[in-house]
Amino acid sequence: MPVMPLSNIGITGIAHCWFKSYLPGRSFEVSWQRKLSSTHTLSTGVPQGSVLGPLLFAIYTTLLGRVIRSHGFSYHCYVDDTQLYLSFRPDDTTVSAHISACLSTLSAWMKEHHLQLNLSKTELLVIPTQESIHHDISLNMDTVTIAPNKVAKNLGIMIDDRLSFSDHIASVARLCHYAPYNIRKIRPYLTQYAAQLLLLVQAMVISRLDYCNALLVGLPACAIKPLQMVQNAAARLVFNQPKRSHVTPLFINLHWLPVSDRIQHKALTLAYKVTSGSAPTYLNAILNAYIPSRTLQSSNTNRLAVPSPKTKRGHSKLFSVVVPQLWNNLPVHTRAAISLSTFKKLVKTLLFRDCLTKPNFTNHLST
C-alpha cells in the first residue's frame, strides 16, 4: 500500500506519523518446514499477518471518487463494494458508451493501485421512469458482456427494476420461514422464555424483518402481507399456539408492533435523525424542514415539508412524500423529544396504542 497524501483527507500530526510509520519501510519473510526465506521489501500491501481493514481501505480508495465524478456519475462506496448511479433520458443513445468509458477508467485506476475490478460480479440495473419504456443497454468489456438484470442485490436488499420490492419480500419471507420451521420441531422441549430468546436474541426472524424495512414505506398492505404472516408464525411459535390461533393477544403480550407499524417506526426514526442533524447527508436532500412563507403558529413545531406533486403517477408512494406526512401527523411533544431513545419509545407507544384501537386489527394480524 503506497503512502498517499493523508493530509488531503484531514489526517495530520500524530495520526499522520502513525500511518506513515506503519505502511512504508516494511519487509517480510516466509517460513516453511522450519526454514526461513530471505527478507524481501514490501512495496505494496501491509505486513504479513496484518489486515488492510475497512478504515485503511477506505482511505486508500478515497481518490476513486474523483475518477467517478469526472465521468458525471454519483456513487456510494461500502468498503470494497462500489456502486455507480447515472440518470439519463430515455432517448439517450450514448449511455452504453458512457458507462463503458467510466468502467474502463476505473479498471485502469485500480490496476495502477494494485486492485482488480471484478467484471464477473458487476451488475447493471436499469430503472425506467415508466413501465412502457425499454432501454437497450449492453456493455462489452474484456470479453465480458454485462446485460441489465431484472433484480440486483444491494447490501442484502433485492432491488428490482420496478422498485416493487416483491423479490426482496419473497426472499425475506423464505429465509424467515426456515428458522421457525426448525425451531418448531424442538418447541415442546423449550420454555416460553427460551423460545423467545431463540427468535429475538439470535436474530433469526425479527432482525430480518426490520433490516432496511424503511425501503418498504408506501407499499400497499397486500405487498407486505408475506412478512406479516412470518411475524404471526413467530408469535405463535413463542407461545406454542396452533397455526390458526389469533395472534392479537400474543402481540400484546410480546409488545410487538405489526410489520406495517415497524416500517413506520423505522421511517420516523430516520426523520428524527434528519431534524436533529445526525442523519447522513443524502437523507437531508430528501427530507427538508417546513419553512412557511409567513409567520404562523406552526412555524416552530418542527414540521417537514411535503413536496408538491410534479406528476400524479406514484407520487404518493415516494419516501420524500410519505415520511413527511407521517412525521407531521405526530404530536408536537413527540417531534420535540430530547433524545433519539426517548423519541423511539414515544413513537412505539403511540403506534402500539393506535394499532390496538383499529377495528380491523385482529383480522389484519390473524392471517
mmCIF file of all heavy atoms in Angstrom, residues 111-139:
data_model
loop_
_atom_site.group_PDB
_atom_site.id
_atom_site.type_symbol
_atom_site.label_atom_id
_atom_site.label_comp_id
_atom_site.label_asym_id
_atom_site.label_seq_id
_atom_site.Cartn_x
_atom_site.Cartn_y
_atom_site.Cartn_z
ATOM 1 N N LYS A 111 -5.945 -1.041 -11.440
ATOM 2 C CA LYS A 111 -4.716 -1.778 -11.766
ATOM 3 C C LYS A 111 -3.485 -0.983 -11.357
ATOM 4 O O LYS A 111 -2.494 -1.545 -10.888
ATOM 5 C CB LYS A 111 -4.685 -2.082 -13.258
ATOM 6 C CG LYS A 111 -5.689 -3.138 -13.696
ATOM 7 C CD LYS A 111 -5.623 -3.383 -15.193
ATOM 8 C CE LYS A 111 -6.639 -4.451 -15.608
ATOM 9 N NZ LYS A 111 -6.629 -4.692 -17.082
ATOM 10 N N GLU A 112 -3.545 0.326 -11.526
ATOM 11 C CA GLU A 112 -2.425 1.181 -11.140
ATOM 12 C C GLU A 112 -2.207 1.162 -9.637
ATOM 13 O O GLU A 112 -1.088 1.362 -9.149
ATOM 14 C CB GLU A 112 -2.682 2.608 -11.623
ATOM 15 C CG GLU A 112 -1.551 3.583 -11.342
ATOM 16 C CD GLU A 112 -1.863 4.979 -11.818
ATOM 17 O OE1 GLU A 112 -2.887 5.153 -12.511
ATOM 18 O OE2 GLU A 112 -1.097 5.906 -11.503
ATOM 19 N N HIS A 113 -3.303 0.916 -8.880
ATOM 20 C CA HIS A 113 -3.221 0.897 -7.411
ATOM 21 C C HIS A 113 -3.310 -0.529 -6.864
ATOM 22 O O HIS A 113 -3.738 -0.739 -5.729
ATOM 23 C CB HIS A 113 -4.335 1.762 -6.820
ATOM 24 C CG HIS A 113 -4.150 3.230 -7.067
ATOM 25 N ND1 HIS A 113 -4.411 3.815 -8.285
ATOM 26 C CD2 HIS A 113 -3.714 4.231 -6.251
ATOM 27 C CE1 HIS A 113 -4.170 5.118 -8.221
ATOM 28 N NE2 HIS A 113 -3.738 5.390 -7.002
ATOM 29 N N HIS A 114 -2.948 -1.505 -7.695
ATOM 30 C CA HIS A 114 -2.845 -2.909 -7.257
ATOM 31 C C HIS A 114 -4.196 -3.470 -6.801
ATOM 32 O O HIS A 114 -4.267 -4.266 -5.865
ATOM 33 C CB HIS A 114 -1.813 -3.053 -6.131
ATOM 34 C CG HIS A 114 -0.516 -2.370 -6.433
ATOM 35 N ND1 HIS A 114 0.426 -2.886 -7.281
ATOM 36 C CD2 HIS A 114 -0.007 -1.180 -5.993
ATOM 37 C CE1 HIS A 114 1.461 -2.083 -7.354
ATOM 38 N NE2 HIS A 114 1.223 -1.036 -6.591
ATOM 39 N N LEU A 115 -5.253 -3.057 -7.471
ATOM 40 C CA LEU A 115 -6.595 -3.584 -7.220
ATOM 41 C C LEU A 115 -7.123 -4.201 -8.508
ATOM 42 O O LEU A 115 -6.535 -4.064 -9.568
ATOM 43 C CB LEU A 115 -7.537 -2.478 -6.722
ATOM 44 C CG LEU A 115 -7.148 -1.786 -5.421
ATOM 45 C CD1 LEU A 115 -8.078 -0.608 -5.148
ATOM 46 C CD2 LEU A 115 -7.188 -2.758 -4.255
ATOM 47 N N GLN A 116 -8.274 -4.879 -8.412
ATOM 48 C CA GLN A 116 -8.833 -5.555 -9.572
ATOM 49 C C GLN A 116 -10.339 -5.338 -9.624
ATOM 50 O O GLN A 116 -11.047 -5.603 -8.640
ATOM 51 C CB GLN A 116 -8.525 -7.055 -9.535
ATOM 52 C CG GLN A 116 -9.107 -7.851 -10.697
ATOM 53 C CD GLN A 116 -8.487 -7.482 -12.034
ATOM 54 O OE1 GLN A 116 -7.271 -7.358 -12.134
ATOM 55 N NE2 GLN A 116 -9.311 -7.305 -13.053
ATOM 56 N N LEU A 117 -10.824 -4.841 -10.756
ATOM 57 C CA LEU A 117 -12.263 -4.695 -10.965
ATOM 58 C C LEU A 117 -12.816 -6.036 -11.422
ATOM 59 O O LEU A 117 -12.436 -6.548 -12.484
ATOM 60 C CB LEU A 117 -12.545 -3.616 -12.015
ATOM 61 C CG LEU A 117 -14.007 -3.392 -12.397
ATOM 62 C CD1 LEU A 117 -14.810 -2.933 -11.186
ATOM 63 C CD2 LEU A 117 -14.135 -2.384 -13.531
ATOM 64 N N ASN A 118 -13.706 -6.614 -10.611
ATOM 65 C CA ASN A 118 -14.267 -7.939 -10.904
ATOM 66 C C ASN A 118 -15.495 -7.770 -11.794
ATOM 67 O O ASN A 118 -16.596 -7.507 -11.322
ATOM 68 C CB ASN A 118 -14.636 -8.649 -9.597
ATOM 69 C CG ASN A 118 -14.900 -10.126 -9.823
ATOM 70 O OD1 ASN A 118 -15.189 -10.557 -10.933
ATOM 71 N ND2 ASN A 118 -14.789 -10.904 -8.756
ATOM 72 N N LEU A 119 -15.290 -7.907 -13.113
ATOM 73 C CA LEU A 119 -16.389 -7.724 -14.055
ATOM 74 C C LEU A 119 -17.426 -8.840 -13.953
ATOM 75 O O LEU A 119 -18.599 -8.633 -14.261
ATOM 76 C CB LEU A 119 -15.847 -7.655 -15.478
ATOM 77 C CG LEU A 119 -14.981 -6.427 -15.798
ATOM 78 C CD1 LEU A 119 -14.413 -6.535 -17.203
ATOM 79 C CD2 LEU A 119 -15.799 -5.145 -15.663
ATOM 80 N N SER A 120 -17.005 -10.035 -13.514
ATOM 81 C CA SER A 120 -17.946 -11.150 -13.418
ATOM 82 C C SER A 120 -18.997 -10.911 -12.333
ATOM 83 O O SER A 120 -20.081 -11.506 -12.378
ATOM 84 C CB SER A 120 -17.202 -12.452 -13.137
ATOM 85 O OG SER A 120 -16.515 -12.384 -11.897
ATOM 86 N N LYS A 121 -18.673 -10.071 -11.348
ATOM 87 C CA LYS A 121 -19.616 -9.758 -10.287
ATOM 88 C C LYS A 121 -20.273 -8.385 -10.470
ATOM 89 O O LYS A 121 -21.031 -7.944 -9.608
ATOM 90 C CB LYS A 121 -18.921 -9.799 -8.931
ATOM 91 C CG LYS A 121 -18.471 -11.193 -8.515
ATOM 92 C CD LYS A 121 -17.884 -11.180 -7.114
ATOM 93 C CE LYS A 121 -17.494 -12.573 -6.669
ATOM 94 N NZ LYS A 121 -16.925 -12.580 -5.294
ATOM 95 N N THR A 122 -19.977 -7.731 -11.584
ATOM 96 C CA THR A 122 -20.559 -6.411 -11.851
ATOM 97 C C THR A 122 -21.978 -6.578 -12.370
ATOM 98 O O THR A 122 -22.229 -7.348 -13.313
ATOM 99 C CB THR A 122 -19.715 -5.644 -12.879
ATOM 100 O OG1 THR A 122 -18.385 -5.494 -12.370
ATOM 101 C CG2 THR A 122 -20.308 -4.275 -13.146
ATOM 102 N N GLU A 123 -22.926 -5.880 -11.767
ATOM 103 C CA GLU A 123 -24.334 -5.965 -12.149
ATOM 104 C C GLU A 123 -24.818 -4.618 -12.653
ATOM 105 O O GLU A 123 -24.380 -3.561 -12.185
ATOM 106 C CB GLU A 123 -25.196 -6.398 -10.961
ATOM 107 C CG GLU A 123 -24.901 -7.808 -10.465
ATOM 108 C CD GLU A 123 -25.787 -8.200 -9.300
ATOM 109 O OE1 GLU A 123 -25.771 -7.473 -8.298
ATOM 110 O OE2 GLU A 123 -26.492 -9.209 -9.396
ATOM 111 N N LEU A 124 -25.719 -4.665 -13.605
ATOM 112 C CA LEU A 124 -26.305 -3.461 -14.196
ATOM 113 C C LEU A 124 -27.810 -3.505 -14.011
ATOM 114 O O LEU A 124 -28.465 -4.480 -14.400
ATOM 115 C CB LEU A 124 -25.953 -3.376 -15.685
ATOM 116 C CG LEU A 124 -26.583 -2.223 -16.481
ATOM 117 C CD1 LEU A 124 -26.093 -0.877 -15.958
ATOM 118 C CD2 LEU A 124 -26.275 -2.369 -17.970
ATOM 119 N N LEU A 125 -28.365 -2.481 -13.401
ATOM 120 C CA LEU A 125 -29.799 -2.392 -13.157
ATOM 121 C C LEU A 125 -30.317 -1.092 -13.746
ATOM 122 O O LEU A 125 -29.837 -0.007 -13.395
ATOM 123 C CB LEU A 125 -30.104 -2.448 -11.653
ATOM 124 C CG LEU A 125 -31.585 -2.393 -11.255
ATOM 125 C CD1 LEU A 125 -32.299 -3.660 -11.724
ATOM 126 C CD2 LEU A 125 -31.738 -2.242 -9.750
ATOM 127 N N VAL A 126 -31.285 -1.190 -14.631
ATOM 128 C CA VAL A 126 -31.890 -0.027 -15.276
ATOM 129 C C VAL A 126 -33.311 0.120 -14.748
ATOM 130 O O VAL A 126 -34.123 -0.799 -14.866
ATOM 131 C CB VAL A 126 -31.900 -0.171 -16.809
ATOM 132 C CG1 VAL A 126 -32.530 1.062 -17.457
ATOM 133 C CG2 VAL A 126 -30.491 -0.373 -17.336
ATOM 134 N N ILE A 127 -33.600 1.286 -14.165
ATOM 135 C CA ILE A 127 -34.927 1.550 -13.600
ATOM 136 C C ILE A 127 -35.602 2.605 -14.456
ATOM 137 O O ILE A 127 -35.264 3.798 -14.383
ATOM 138 C CB ILE A 127 -34.817 2.025 -12.143
ATOM 139 C CG1 ILE A 127 -34.064 0.982 -11.309
ATOM 140 C CG2 ILE A 127 -36.194 2.296 -11.546
ATOM 141 C CD1 ILE A 127 -33.827 1.406 -9.876
ATOM 142 N N PRO A 128 -36.548 2.233 -15.308
ATOM 143 C CA PRO A 128 -37.208 3.215 -16.183
ATOM 144 C C PRO A 128 -38.216 4.059 -15.420
ATOM 145 O O PRO A 128 -38.731 3.650 -14.371
ATOM 146 C CB PRO A 128 -37.889 2.336 -17.232
ATOM 147 C CG PRO A 128 -38.168 1.053 -16.510
ATOM 148 C CD PRO A 128 -37.039 0.865 -15.531
ATOM 149 N N THR A 129 -38.492 5.239 -15.936
ATOM 150 C CA THR A 129 -39.475 6.115 -15.308
ATOM 151 C C THR A 129 -40.894 5.606 -15.520
ATOM 152 O O THR A 129 -41.781 5.880 -14.721
ATOM 153 C CB THR A 129 -39.361 7.539 -15.875
ATOM 154 O OG1 THR A 129 -39.461 7.486 -17.309
ATOM 155 C CG2 THR A 129 -38.016 8.163 -15.492
ATOM 156 N N GLN A 130 -41.115 4.863 -16.598
ATOM 157 C CA GLN A 130 -42.414 4.281 -16.891
ATOM 158 C C GLN A 130 -42.225 2.843 -17.332
ATOM 159 O O GLN A 130 -41.209 2.498 -17.957
ATOM 160 C CB GLN A 130 -43.140 5.076 -17.987
ATOM 161 C CG GLN A 130 -43.441 6.522 -17.613
ATOM 162 C CD GLN A 130 -44.144 7.275 -18.727
ATOM 163 O OE1 GLN A 130 -44.524 6.689 -19.743
ATOM 164 N NE2 GLN A 130 -44.322 8.563 -18.540
ATOM 165 N N GLU A 131 -43.216 2.017 -17.037
ATOM 166 C CA GLU A 131 -43.100 0.593 -17.360
ATOM 167 C C GLU A 131 -43.051 0.346 -18.859
ATOM 168 O O GLU A 131 -42.510 -0.660 -19.307
ATOM 169 C CB GLU A 131 -44.282 -0.175 -16.750
ATOM 170 C CG GLU A 131 -44.294 -0.160 -15.220
ATOM 171 C CD GLU A 131 -45.432 -0.986 -14.658
ATOM 172 O OE1 GLU A 131 -46.152 -1.610 -15.465
ATOM 173 O OE2 GLU A 131 -45.596 -1.002 -13.431
ATOM 174 N N SER A 132 -43.611 1.257 -19.663
ATOM 175 C CA SER A 132 -43.649 1.068 -21.112
ATOM 176 C C SER A 132 -42.313 1.354 -21.778
ATOM 177 O O SER A 132 -42.115 1.037 -22.949
ATOM 178 C CB SER A 132 -44.732 1.968 -21.724
ATOM 179 O OG SER A 132 -44.480 3.335 -21.419
ATOM 180 N N ILE A 133 -41.371 1.953 -21.036
ATOM 181 C CA ILE A 133 -40.071 2.320 -21.608
ATOM 182 C C ILE A 133 -39.109 1.150 -21.459
ATOM 183 O O ILE A 133 -38.962 0.586 -20.373
ATOM 184 C CB ILE A 133 -39.496 3.573 -20.922
ATOM 185 C CG1 ILE A 133 -40.432 4.769 -21.134
ATOM 186 C CG2 ILE A 133 -38.105 3.892 -21.467
ATOM 187 C CD1 ILE A 133 -39.975 6.028 -20.436
ATOM 188 N N HIS A 134 -38.451 0.801 -22.548
ATOM 189 C CA HIS A 134 -37.474 -0.284 -22.531
ATOM 190 C C HIS A 134 -36.148 0.255 -23.062
ATOM 191 O O HIS A 134 -36.096 0.851 -24.140
ATOM 192 C CB HIS A 134 -37.944 -1.465 -23.388
ATOM 193 C CG HIS A 134 -39.219 -2.084 -22.896
ATOM 194 N ND1 HIS A 134 -39.270 -2.982 -21.851
ATOM 195 C CD2 HIS A 134 -40.509 -1.913 -23.302
ATOM 196 C CE1 HIS A 134 -40.514 -3.354 -21.640
ATOM 197 N NE2 HIS A 134 -41.294 -2.717 -22.512
ATOM 198 N N HIS A 135 -35.086 0.038 -22.311
ATOM 199 C CA HIS A 135 -33.765 0.517 -22.682
ATOM 200 C C HIS A 135 -32.920 -0.649 -23.189
ATOM 201 O O HIS A 135 -32.848 -1.694 -22.537
ATOM 202 C CB HIS A 135 -33.068 1.175 -21.489
ATOM 203 C CG HIS A 135 -33.796 2.365 -20.940
ATOM 204 N ND1 HIS A 135 -33.695 3.623 -21.475
ATOM 205 C CD2 HIS A 135 -34.657 2.475 -19.898
ATOM 206 C CE1 HIS A 135 -34.442 4.468 -20.792
ATOM 207 N NE2 HIS A 135 -35.047 3.789 -19.825
ATOM 208 N N ASP A 136 -32.307 -0.455 -24.338
ATOM 209 C CA ASP A 136 -31.435 -1.468 -24.919
ATOM 210 C C ASP A 136 -29.992 -1.108 -24.572
ATOM 211 O O ASP A 136 -29.299 -0.413 -25.320
ATOM 212 C CB ASP A 136 -31.634 -1.528 -26.427
ATOM 213 C CG ASP A 136 -30.841 -2.671 -27.067
ATOM 214 O OD1 ASP A 136 -30.401 -3.548 -26.304
ATOM 215 O OD2 ASP A 136 -30.673 -2.660 -28.296
ATOM 216 N N ILE A 137 -29.543 -1.570 -23.406
ATOM 217 C CA ILE A 137 -28.210 -1.248 -22.910
ATOM 218 C C ILE A 137 -27.436 -2.538 -22.708
ATOM 219 O O ILE A 137 -27.925 -3.481 -22.078
ATOM 220 C CB ILE A 137 -28.282 -0.459 -21.588
ATOM 221 C CG1 ILE A 137 -29.027 0.859 -21.790
ATOM 222 C CG2 ILE A 137 -26.886 -0.194 -21.043
ATOM 223 C CD1 ILE A 137 -29.197 1.643 -20.517
ATOM 224 N N SER A 138 -26.237 -2.574 -23.261
ATOM 225 C CA SER A 138 -25.365 -3.729 -23.093
ATOM 226 C C SER A 138 -23.924 -3.245 -23.080
ATOM 227 O O SER A 138 -23.535 -2.405 -23.900
ATOM 228 C CB SER A 138 -25.581 -4.737 -24.225
ATOM 229 O OG SER A 138 -24.762 -5.874 -24.045
ATOM 230 N N LEU A 139 -23.121 -3.777 -22.154
ATOM 231 C CA LEU A 139 -21.738 -3.360 -22.003
ATOM 232 C C LEU A 139 -20.816 -4.520 -22.369
ATOM 233 O O LEU A 139 -21.032 -5.652 -21.929
ATOM 234 C CB LEU A 139 -21.463 -2.921 -20.555
ATOM 235 C CG LEU A 139 -22.422 -1.890 -19.951
ATOM 236 C CD1 LEU A 139 -22.033 -1.604 -18.503
ATOM 237 C CD2 LEU A 139 -22.443 -0.608 -20.757
#
